[in-house]
Amino acid sequence: MTSDDMNRSARRHGAGKWSTPVWRAGLLCGAALLCPAVAWAQDEQSASQGAAVVDDSDAILVTARRKAEALTEVPAAITSISSDFLEKQNVTNFVDFATKVPNLSFQYGQGGSFLWSGDRETTIRGVVGVGTTAFYIDDTPVPSSVSPQVLNLERIEVLKGPQGTLYGASSMGGNVRYITRKPSLDENEGTLSLQAGHTKDGGFDHDVNVQNNFVLVPDKLALNVALGYLQDSGFIKRRFRDGAGEWVTKDGEGRHRSLTGSVGMRAQLTDSLEANLSFLGQSTRLRGFPGAYLPLPGYKPLSYTLDHDVDVQEYSKDRWGLGAFVLRYDGDGFEAVSSTSYFKRKIEQLDDNTEGTNYFFQSGFGIDFTGVPFYVIINSREKALTHETRVSFDQGTLLPGLSGIVGVFHKTTKNKNYNPGVVVPELGEAGLLPSYLADVLTREREKNTALFGELYYEPVSQLTFTLGLRQYWIDQHQDPSVDTGALFGPDPFYNAAKDNKESGLVPKAVVSYEIGDRGNIYASASKGFRLGGSNSRLPSFCGSDLEDLGLTLDGAGRYKSDTLWSYEVGAKSRIAEGRMNISAAAFRMDWSDIQQVGTLPTCGLTFLTNAGKARIKGGEFEISGRPMDDVPLTVSLGIGYLDATLLDPGFLPQPANSRLGLVPKWTGSISGYYETPIAANADLFIAADYSYTSSTKVPSVADGTAVFFTRQPINLVNGNVGVKFGRSQVMIFAKNLFDKRLTYGDQPMSGFERRELREDGSYERLLRGVVSRPRQIGVQYQLDF
């Protein structure tokens, strides 16, 4: 949906009826937190009466409720990042935008997948863990680690709080939605962007993007094509000893290359019927990983040089594609949408596990494999077919004061994960057969079917009641499999097939009241859930660890859904004659049967299980827009606060009523953009932003001892300055301006944890974490044509 389409749709759905007495807002001021916000909105409206008409061109439109609406009229907490903001702040990747969203954080190494490309988990409002945040590209749910380049995005929407009624499972904390740009039916236009730079301690970086819209038949048929190539140089050094015992250093570890392409075709078949066919794909290659050792007890990177025992080149290849066909019918008082999509992903990764494996055999079996390389090859495949049909109807179409949306959803997902056995002759020579560590193959299938809907009833002007429900049916199946390798013993280990079926009802209720300019105050209660599933079979030598936890090898094979209830109050409006959007929210969430990543201290492996309860309380405040009408300055400020308490720790290594791990207390960002003429045909622009995420406690288990590490705060400063002239612009930019060495989480481990030999003969844990890119400075040229 283009911006023009959204404006038309917003008017059709009534996003313009906002002239009502503001004194009636006091009827809903039962929550003391909201009264100051309401009073402020009322004062702003009173002060502006008789002033200039509000400029609707500054309204931010979103589709969080599957229809185009002004951001401030949706009774929910939403952060919307427009394509204009992405361009002006030079946002090019996930970290760039994720650090700018209040109460959003992310971490690596906690997903349990062992995959660099598949292990990043995103947390909204402290609901931390695997699959607690749903990611969508338009109408299609995708894995949370999918990060499309921003070259052809219309905007990014971050929906906070459970979104189960409209978006289903894995929406416990919220949703991140990538909204792609749709072809325009009336304008041929294009953009070319060339970018070159340098990373400190790295090398040459470059980025080439081109996007073009072709009107094939005016007002009937259009094509949009975009292509981008990005290379960020590696900044990690890898050292190892050669055959003569001399150190050899290889530069450029962590080099990232990404090729992204999209094609979209839009056809206006009739005045009421529109068809969209699209494809978006991306291929990413990492040469080595952007990770560094985190020496204890500081748990922060001191050097970007990694010492290895042997020469093994790590890498990751991640390729995915998404094709979609959407039919949209705009009827008299209603709209019907049918969306069918197919997603396919292939990941291949090689990890060097030499040091950790050697320690395992030395400490457990007294066998010395010094100088013998041990590495793991991981292959992951995912295919998903998704269909959704929904109908939304306007107020008064069925009954006076009633509008809503109803739909049906189905998704079939197939996963295949294969770790082939890598032959190590020295294993056989030591009597460990077969002479490879492990050969493991798992195949899984999931069918997710749901009926969903939300009804919006306005009994009197300005007051709206919302009721949402989703009935879901989940069917999961894991094929039987055979595990072989020295870690399982000389005989094959057989895994029986596993089946899991779930069904349930997810409710949501909201009461909202219109205030100010396209604003509202609201209170809501909603339920979120996350699907259960099955674990891969743990090796028999993990049995003693499981017994200590009161579990068995068979009992650790499955885990069930966990759920939470969220209670939220909020207020939002437009101020400064509509030039600025302002919102505030406070919430509490009660989380039970938490899916936890249990770590087995002796065998060193992890598994998912259910245990524990948590309570999360917090709030958010956001304001953005142009403060002064006669000053070309745009600002954005967002602040988030979380008080996350683990009431019952379950299997987590921390006491009851302590702070929930991996959850920052504070998040915040501020950005600004200023543009002014400097000549008859030239404008100067300056942009800068600062992002902050407070420190987090990272729980860790080793050798039967539970400890906590403190991940340092994230502080990032970016900026750019440039000149626009005609259809061109030239910009000089800097990212991570003050060259902070930040940790984004533990690097996913596919093997045994590395231990470093001390001078006294004992071993010390040597953790490895994902780190920030050092300071990057470059220049960009952009041409609009």
Side-chain angles (χ1 to χ4, degrees), residues 280-513:
L280 173 64
Q282 187 165 293
S283 175
T284 301
R285 171 78 186 245
L286 275 171
R287 178 183 180 270
F289 305 118
Y293 292 134
L294 309 176
L296 302 177
Y299 193 66
K300 58 183 178 181
L302 301 179
S303 171
Y304 281 176
T305 298
L306 302 178
D307 290 340
H308 289 263
D309 290 351
V310 295
D311 180 16
V312 175
Q313 179 61 64
E314 296 177 309
Y315 68 83
S316 173
K317 299 177 183 177
D318 182 9
R319 288 158 284 182
W320 59 265
L322 173 64
F325 178 67
V326 180
L327 282 173
R328 187 182 306 272
Y329 182 81
D330 193 353
D332 184 11
F334 73 96
E335 181 183 69
V337 178
S338 174
S339 172
T340 303
S341 62
Y342 181 72
F343 175 82
K344 185 176 182 179
R345 190 182 196 185
K346 178 180 179 181
I347 300 175
E348 179 183 331
Q349 178 173 305
L350 187 147
D351 291 357
D352 180 12
N353 294 322
T354 300
E355 292 80 15
T357 305
N358 287 341
Y359 168 77
F360 171 77
F361 282 111
Q362 288 175 4
S363 61
F365 301 90
I367 303 176
D368 188 358
F369 286 119
T370 300
V372 178
F374 288 94
Y375 59 88
V376 177
I377 298 175
I378 305 173
N379 292 282
S380 178
R381 307 287 187 270
E382 178 172 336
K383 299 177 182 179
L385 179 65
T386 304
H387 176 80
E388 180 175 288
T389 296
R390 61 183 185 271
V391 177
S392 57
F393 54 95
D394 298 342
Q395 189 176 115
T397 300
L398 298 181
L399 293 172
L402 183 69
S403 61
I405 179 173
V406 293
V408 59
F409 170 89
H410 180 78
K411 179 181 180 183
T412 298
T413 306
K414 295 181 179 180
N415 288 288
K416 176 184 176 182
N417 296 288
Y418 180 45
N419 299 352
V422 178
V423 175
V424 180
E426 289 82 357
L427 285 173
E429 296 170 2
L432 298 171
L433 297 174
S435 57
Y436 53 85
L437 290 178
D439 186 292
V440 178
L441 170 65
T442 60
R443 288 188 175 94
E444 298 173 320
R445 182 186 70 248
E446 178 181 289
K447 294 183 179 179
N448 184 341
T449 304
L451 299 174
F452 65 90
E454 288 190 356
L455 298 178
Y456 317 109
Y457 180 58
E458 187 174 340
V460 296
S461 177
Q462 299 175 262
L463 178 64
T464 302
F465 295 96
T466 299
L467 175 64
L469 292 172
R470 186 183 190 96
Q471 173 66 54
Y472 65 89
W473 298 268
I474 310 294
D475 184 356
Q476 298 171 321
H477 173 77
Q478 182 173 307
D479 289 348
S481 61
V482 179
D483 300 334
T484 61
L487 293 179
F488 297 95
D491 299 322
F493 189 91
Y494 295 92
N495 299 293
K498 297 178 182 177
D499 291 284
N500 182 47
K501 292 186 178 182
E502 296 185 30
S503 62
L505 189 66
V506 181
K508 173 183 178 181
V510 185
V511 58
S512 59
Y513 191 84

Side-chain angles (χ1 to χ4, degrees), residues 4 170 243 281 398 422 708 773:
D4 290 340
S170 298
L398 298 181
V422 178
F708 283 86
R773 174 167 293 275

Side-chain angles (χ1 to χ4, degrees), residues 49-102:
Q49 288 179 352
V53 176
V54 171
D55 183 4
D56 273 354
S57 65
D58 288 313
I60 300 174
L61 298 180
V62 296
T63 54
R65 296 196 293 186
R66 304 298 185 94
K67 61 181 180 179
E69 301 173 283
L71 173 67
T72 50
E73 80 173 351
V74 182
I78 304 170
T79 297
S80 180
I81 304 174
S82 67
S83 58
D84 185 58
F85 182 91
L86 296 173
E87 177 184 331
K88 290 177 177 177
Q89 302 298 142
N90 195 30
V91 173
T92 59
N93 56 51
F94 174 82
V95 172
D96 285 350
F97 83 81
T99 52
K100 295 175 175 59
V101 180

Side-chain angles (χ1 to χ4, degrees), residues 50-267:
V53 176
V54 171
D55 183 4
D56 273 354
S57 65
D58 288 313
I60 300 174
L61 298 180
V62 296
T63 54
R65 296 196 293 186
R66 304 298 185 94
K67 61 181 180 179
E69 301 173 283
L71 173 67
T72 50
E73 80 173 351
V74 182
I78 304 170
T79 297
S80 180
I81 304 174
S82 67
S83 58
D84 185 58
F85 182 91
L86 296 173
E87 177 184 331
K88 290 177 177 177
Q89 302 298 142
N90 195 30
V91 173
T92 59
N93 56 51
F94 174 82
V95 172
D96 285 350
F97 83 81
T99 52
K100 295 175 175 59
V101 180
N103 280 338
L104 185 148
S105 60
F106 59 93
Q107 56 278 326
Y108 290 82
Q110 303 297 321
S113 70
F114 310 141
L115 285 164
W116 166 266
S117 298
D119 207 81
R120 187 196 68 223
E121 292 299 330
T122 302
T123 299
I124 297 178
R125 289 185 168 179
V127 186
V128 64
V130 181
T132 58
T133 298
F135 277 68
Y136 277 71
I137 297 178
D138 295 324
D139 288 330
T140 302
V142 296
S144 62
S145 55
V146 167
S147 299
Q149 298 296 315
V150 301
L151 75 159
N152 203 30
L153 293 182
E154 182 71 27
R155 66 190 179 280
I156 300 171
E157 294 178 4
V158 180
L159 286 56
K160 301 169 186 177
Q163 306 294 325
T165 53
L166 291 183
Y167 295 96
S170 298
S171 299
M172 295 175 67
N175 283 3
V176 177
R177 302 181 66 222
Y178 298 103
I179 311 298
T180 60
R181 182 179 288 114
K182 300 300 184 292
S184 171
L185 294 173
D186 54 16
E187 186 174 5
N188 290 303
E189 59 179 356
T191 301
L192 172 67
S193 174
L194 305 173
Q195 184 169 297
H198 183 272
T199 296
K200 181 182 177 182
D201 300 325
F204 178 65
D205 310 320
H206 56 276
D207 186 357
V208 180
N209 293 325
V210 62
Q211 178 268 331
N212 203 357
N213 190 89
F214 304 93
V215 177
L216 305 180
V217 180
D219 298 323
K220 294 293 184 181
L221 186 64
L223 179 71
N224 187 288
V225 180
L227 185 67
Y229 178 77
L230 167 71
Q231 174 175 298
D232 284 332
S233 58
F235 55 92
I236 303 292
K237 291 182 173 61
R238 180 169 60 92
R239 298 201 313 168
F240 56 91
R241 293 189 184 275
D242 60 15
E246 299 295 328
W247 283 109
V248 177
T249 301
K250 290 191 176 181
D251 299 331
E253 295 293 296
R255 184 186 66 198
H256 170 256
R257 290 175 173 172
S258 182
L259 176 65
T260 306
S262 70
V263 179
M265 179 168 287
R266 179 183 177 190

